[in-house]
Amino acid sequence: MSAGQRRIGMIGIGMMGHGIATNVVKHGHPLAFLEHPGNQPVDALVSAGARGVPTIAALAAEADVVILCVTGSPEVESVLFQAGGLLESMRPGTTIVDCSTAIPSSTLRIAEAVAKAGGRFLDAPMTRTPKEAAEGRLNLLVGGEAALFDECRPLLACFAENIVHAGPVGAGHRMKLLHNYVSLGFSAVLAEAAACAQRADVDPHVFMEVLAKGGGGGVVLERLRPYIEAKQIAAFRFSISNALKDIGYYTTMAGEIGASVTAAEGIRRTLEDAVAAGRGGAAVPELIDLLAAGNALRASA
């Protein structure tokens, strides 16, 4: 069966998953998705030919490849290990592609269990935003056997612009956590600096101009620019609670291998304080105003 004839199942039609699903269908792949209250509106997907199915078992019964795009390791483990989950239900030879952000040690356990059940596994976490997901322009960091990576690459290319084979199983999730630590860590540092600038009555446009032309320039600065200059969050719709989850996964990974987490722990505490203050659902750029409140954030935590 050629790549174009493969039946694709998908679990997790959230902000990122919806874009992935849209592009899978756009490229002619038959798609079934798990019906779930957390899905984004699926009317357009259904109109394009995708079908909702009520259970994981029903999805696994017909899928040759199952793409997971859920929140994190607990959700991935639940999808695989629960009664009626993928391990019980998938057919021999099924390929699982996990696009979630996950703890690598969990990924290795899952991949081993999938192999024992007769399946194949790639970890393929993504970077970029829902905008690029909708455009089919994600970055994918893939861990798994080279032959399986090559086999699945045409499918991955339906929704990804840049695809890197990071190494064996788990390497994709390791690289994703390294990437997110740098990206979200810089976001937290920049938010704290912008908050300080706000309290110091520094003109936000001057602040941005100086950083952009100096050592602070880059992708994260441009994502935060609309909020710093005009309080717009559309360019960085990533919640503080999700940022905390990813930094927590990074410190878990680093701790398991004995790497330093000194700076990471400071960043994690900043995010924890915001979540404890009831602002976990706020977008990362809004951390600027929370920090600009000075001691109010820590006091409320």
Side-chain angles (χ1 to χ4, degrees):
M1 182 177 292
S2 71
Q5 295 173 308
R6 286 182 177 178
R7 296 166 297 180
I8 311 302
M10 189 158 177
I11 299 175
I13 310 296
M15 292 177 66
M16 300 294 283
H18 194 282
I20 291 175
T22 297
N23 284 284
V24 167
V25 173
K26 183 186 298 182
H27 282 79
H29 295 278
L31 177 70
F33 61 87
L34 181 67
E35 296 171 346
H36 190 276
N39 287 347
Q40 293 290 300
V42 296
D43 292 351
L45 286 175
V46 173
S47 296
R51 298 182 301 104
V53 295
T55 66
I56 294 175
L59 182 142
E62 61 180 82
D64 301 306
V65 178
V66 179
I67 299 173
L68 307 181
C69 191
V70 296
T71 303
S73 287
E75 292 77 16
V76 175
E77 291 178 1
S78 176
V79 165
L80 268 294
F81 295 120
Q82 67 176 275
L86 277 181
L87 282 183
E88 287 185 6
S89 308
M90 70 180 187
R91 294 174 296 109
T94 299
T95 298
I96 310 297
V97 179
D98 182 15
C99 292
S100 312
T101 300
I103 298 170
S105 56
S106 171
T107 300
L108 294 176
R109 291 193 299 270
I110 288 170
E112 182 179 1
V114 169
K116 287 182 178 178
R120 305 183 298 171
F121 183 90
L122 291 177
D123 49 303
M126 46 199 162
T127 68
R128 293 188 167 171
T129 71
K131 177 179 181 293
E132 286 85 19
E135 295 169 348
R137 297 179 49 248
L138 289 171
N139 297 330
L140 289 183
L141 315 170
V142 186
E145 294 181 357
L148 181 58
F149 169 76
D150 290 339
E151 180 184 321
C152 292
R153 185 169 187 138
L155 171 62
L156 303 179
C158 292
F159 55 89
E161 181 178 39
N162 301 301
I163 305 172
V164 175
H165 185 214
V169 166
H173 280 146
R174 293 189 188 98
M175 192 63 241
K176 172 63 184 291
L177 296 182
L178 288 163
H179 170 277
N180 278 23
Y181 171 51
V182 172
S183 175
L184 294 171
F186 182 33
S187 297
V189 169
L190 179 56
E192 190 168 86
C196 182
Q198 186 173 315
R199 289 176 66 88
D201 295 324
V202 173
D203 185 299
H205 299 285
V206 173
F207 176 77
M208 288 298 303
E209 180 182 3
V210 170
L211 290 183
K213 293 179 178 178
V219 172
V220 173
L221 184 70
E222 293 309 311
R223 286 184 182 167
L224 283 170
R225 179 189 291 273
Y227 193 84
I228 292 172
E229 293 185 338
K231 303 300 182 187
Q232 297 176 359
I233 63 171
F236 203 161
R237 293 187 298 153
F238 194 75
S239 73
I240 293 172
S241 60
N242 272 333
L244 175 60
K245 181 259 299 180
D246 286 4
I247 295 298
Y249 282 6
Y250 173 81
T251 57
T252 296
M253 177 184 75
E256 288 176 348
I257 61 176
S260 173
V261 293
T262 303
E265 288 293 355
I267 292 164
R268 185 168 74 169
R269 184 173 180 184
T270 295
L271 298 169
E272 283 178 341
D273 287 348
V275 171
R279 298 305 307 276
V284 168
E286 295 177 88
L287 186 62
I288 295 169
D289 289 337
L290 296 176
L291 293 170
N295 294 327
L297 179 58
R298 190 165 300 282
S300 62

